[in-house]
Amino acid sequence: MIPEGFLKAWGGTAAFILAVDAVWLGLVAGGFYSRQLGDMMLDSPRLGIAALFYVMYSAAVVILASAAAARTGTLQDALLLGAILGFAAYGTYDITNLSTLKNWPLTMSIVDIAWGTLLTAAASAVGYWLLRWV
């Protein structure tokens, strides 16, 4: 049986990641990604696949970072574990693309890894807060 607190943390963390990432991709850095990726980028995203990512990734954030930090009881642990997870996850994606795809932009990888590290650290803090106080 899945604890009720996990489901609330998972849902809240997923909503946070989706909202913040939508602002990042839609308003802040959308032009940057378009310029970097050029014709590799779709005209519009495949929303079903994107939804699958947000569901899977937010579960990983809560399980691997937020819940571990909730056991130790420190927000700093949530931020650190989230940053490590984000760096590893986004780094895996971007470094794999650098090593396997023609013309994959290094600048985009650096920005994307930094973004994933920051976003995941913040999301882990949200999940931590939801597990501890909601």
Side-chain angles (χ1 to χ4, degrees), residues 11-28:
T13 301
F16 174 82
I17 293 172
L18 177 61
V20 174
D21 215 21
V23 170
W24 171 255
L25 294 171
L27 300 175
V28 176

Side-chain angles (χ1 to χ4, degrees), residues 29-44:
F32 169 77
Y33 282 92
S34 292
R35 286 187 304 278
Q36 292 293 307
L37 295 175
D39 64 355
M40 288 189 284
M41 196 163 174
L42 294 172
D43 292 334
S44 59

Side-chain angles (χ1 to χ4, degrees), residues 8-117:
K8 289 179 183 177
W10 184 14
T13 301
F16 174 82
I17 293 172
L18 177 61
V20 174
D21 215 21
V23 170
W24 171 255
L25 294 171
L27 300 175
V28 176
F32 169 77
Y33 282 92
S34 292
R35 286 187 304 278
Q36 292 293 307
L37 295 175
D39 64 355
M40 288 189 284
M41 196 163 174
L42 294 172
D43 292 334
S44 59
R46 294 181 179 130
L47 296 179
I49 295 170
L52 181 60
F53 164 77
Y54 289 109
V55 167
M56 291 171 52
Y57 194 65
S58 59
V61 168
V62 172
I63 292 166
L64 298 174
S66 303
R71 286 191 293 278
T72 66
T74 67
L75 178 61
Q76 291 82 2
D77 284 351
L79 292 167
L80 177 62
L81 292 170
I84 292 168
L85 177 60
F87 184 79
Y90 280 70
T92 298
Y93 170 77
D94 283 291
I95 291 168
T96 298
N97 287 341
L98 278 169
S99 70
T100 61
L101 300 177
K102 292 179 186 177
N103 302 319
W104 186 263
L106 175 61
T107 302
M108 202 204 79
S109 289
I110 292 167
V111 170
D112 198 50
I113 292 168
W115 171 246
T117 300

